[in-house]
Amino acid sequence: MAQVYSHMTMSLDGFIADPRGGVAELFDWYGAGPVEVPTADGHQPFRVDQASAELLREILTTTGALVCGRRLFDLTGGWSDNHPVGAPVVVVTHRRPEDADGWERTHFAGSVPAAIAEAKKLAGDKNVCIASANVAQQALELGLMDEVNVSLVPVLMGEGIPYFTNLAAAPHRFHDPVVIAGARATHLRYAVRR
């Protein structure tokens, strides 16, 4: 059965970006090895260790749609309507871009539940990946997420944008992790306990 999961690269102290949204300190693992993993959009490939390559290949082949927030959409220029995963993107926003009708692979929804429902339709039998911290927090709180994935990197940021914070329905509980030891990242997969 298709899963709804989040995946973020996170510092040891829980941040997925610096206070201004920068991720340079966190993404070293995408170039920390000899194994080349091409992206679906044809841009620069990942160069990672073998274990991380297997994880990335799984993400690339099993993800049928991606959900993100408007902030990430704006920061990336909407990936020029061609996300590296190669899947359609559903953006949670109350402010549709003026040129929204010109985007073929990018869709817009006014709420997290609506975005996940649309992403599930687009994904078919494949998984839905949530790629924004705020959207992941809301989905977890609403019971719409099946798995939390963390690529934990060996850096302490001190401050920044947290993966999860201010969870009203906490505590949320998870099954024991699946652990993949990689170069410059330890990948953790936690299935949500229901």
Side-chain angles (χ1 to χ4, degrees):
M1 181 176 176
Q3 300 282 307
V4 175
Y5 72 97
S6 67
H7 178 248
M8 298 281 176
T9 297
M10 184 179 78
S11 67
L12 291 175
D13 50 352
F15 298 108
I16 54 109
D18 68 27
R20 292 174 299 286
V23 294
E25 284 288 334
L26 300 171
F27 283 8
D28 282 350
W29 73 274
Y30 284 129
V35 181
E36 187 172 289
V37 179
T39 60
D41 66 357
H43 287 94
Q44 182 175 352
F46 302 109
R47 296 196 61 78
V48 294
D49 62 278
Q50 185 59 46
S52 297
E54 290 175 23
L55 172 78
L56 288 173
R57 286 186 191 111
E58 180 183 347
I59 289 171
L60 288 165
T61 59
T62 64
T63 300
L66 186 116
V67 177
C68 73
R70 178 62 190 263
R71 183 174 173 278
L72 182 58
F73 172 81
D74 288 343
L75 282 172
T76 62
W79 299 277
S80 298
D81 201 30
N82 190 17
H83 191 277
V85 170
V89 175
V90 181
V91 182
V92 180
T93 183
H94 298 295
R95 304 175 287 113
R96 286 174 58 95
E98 290 181 17
D99 64 345
D101 293 335
W103 295 81
E104 292 181 21
R105 297 179 51 78
T106 305
H107 308 262
F108 301 90
S111 69
V112 169
I116 290 175
E118 177 69 14
K120 284 181 172 183
K121 281 192 265 183
L122 293 165
D125 293 337
K126 291 189 170 188
N127 296 330
V128 171
C129 178
I130 300 173
S132 293
N134 186 275
V135 175
Q137 290 175 36
Q138 291 181 59
L140 182 64
E141 293 275 276
L142 293 167
L144 300 173
M145 194 157 46
D146 302 305
E147 190 173 272
V148 172
N149 291 267
V150 177
S151 290
L152 189 65
V153 297
V155 64
L156 294 170
M157 303 282 286
E159 61 180 342
I161 299 170
Y163 194 171
F164 290 100
T165 187
N166 300 321
L167 296 169
H172 293 280
R173 293 177 179 82
F174 303 89
H175 292 285
D176 291 338
V178 173
V179 180
I180 300 169
R184 306 295 306 151
T186 301
H187 310 287
L188 306 167
R189 300 171 77 165
Y190 295 93
V192 175
R193 277 180 28 196
R194 302 237 192 266

